[in-house]
Amino acid sequence: MKLATLLLSSLLLLGCAATPQRPLPQPSQAVDVERFLGRWYIIANIPYVFERGKVGSYVEYRARDDGRIGDHYFAREGSLEAPLEESAGVAEVVDTKTNAHWRAQFIWPLWASFHILYVDEAYRHALIGHPSREYAWIYAREPRVDPAVLEVLFRRLEAAGYRRSQLVLVPQLDSVD
């Protein structure tokens, strides 16, 4: 079963290497990597295969001594009462001019590209997108987002070419230790 999962994920990530039909919008400002590090709750997403059915999910980006970024994904399978599971990977900034294009690796030798499409001035909310527009994430520093703010974030993703109908709200605990 693990081999089948590995093969399936390999095919998925290889498919993620496709060139987008139209370029992603440039971020309105360069991303401050130091401010971007830390915990981000996944408020909504267009999930890839390993995220389907996950709840209470969040990511933590941590600086590493080698200049890369630890990319740690935490989630619970199907229920907020389920045990918290962690997947550890590595990320690196691809475009050092804007710091908005990153790539991540959870399974060697495969890398997946993602873009920080938007981060607010206070670094409280962020939009992340895959170049194919098949995957997207709404991040927040807190597990709950004001509905009016969430609506604005949904609209920003739509304006960038992501389909709102594919976005799924991710149930969250009020806090995670």
Side-chain angles (χ1 to χ4, degrees):
M1 185 62 155
K2 287 187 178 187
L3 180 58
T5 301
L6 179 61
L7 291 173
L8 178 62
S9 63
S10 297
L11 291 173
L12 171 72
L13 291 176
L14 286 174
C16 292
T19 305
Q21 292 181 347
R22 60 187 169 123
L24 287 171
Q26 289 298 310
S28 56
Q29 62 188 23
V31 175
D32 182 336
V33 174
E34 291 298 316
R35 289 184 70 194
F36 194 80
L37 297 178
R39 181 176 293 181
W40 290 97
Y41 293 92
I42 301 171
I43 303 303
N45 62 12
I46 302 174
Y48 68 95
V49 68
F50 293 115
E51 289 180 304
R52 292 184 190 130
K54 304 290 190 201
V55 298
S57 56
Y58 60 94
V59 294
E60 288 184 359
Y61 297 111
R62 303 172 188 162
R64 292 175 26 145
D65 292 337
D66 64 4
R68 298 192 301 175
I69 299 160
D71 187 343
H72 300 264
Y73 173 77
F74 298 86
R76 299 169 192 277
E77 183 67 44
S79 166
L80 292 172
E81 288 77 39
L84 188 64
E85 300 172 359
E86 177 183 3
S87 297
V90 63
E92 52 190 33
V93 176
V94 175
D95 175 3
T96 56
K97 182 178 177 187
T98 65
N99 294 327
H101 177 195
W102 294 25
R103 67 182 194 152
Q105 180 183 65
F106 283 88
I107 301 169
W108 184 87
L110 304 172
W111 290 88
S113 182
F114 66 93
H115 293 256
I116 301 168
L117 304 171
Y118 167 79
V119 62
D120 68 329
E121 288 183 23
Y123 280 70
R124 306 298 303 154
H125 306 100
L127 300 175
I128 312 301
H130 184 271
S132 70
R133 291 183 172 81
E134 295 297 318
Y135 310 102
W137 298 264
I138 295 177
Y139 284 0
R141 294 293 189 179
E142 300 294 328
R144 303 274 181 253
V145 175
D146 178 273
V149 171
L150 186 57
E151 180 61 28
V152 169
L153 296 171
F154 277 128
R155 287 185 183 164
R156 282 184 177 271
L157 273 179
E158 283 182 298
Y162 294 84
R163 288 174 282 198
R164 183 175 184 156
S165 63
Q166 292 183 308
L167 285 156
V168 176
L169 290 172
V170 177
Q172 291 288 342
L173 292 168
D174 287 327
S175 66
V176 179
D177 296 326

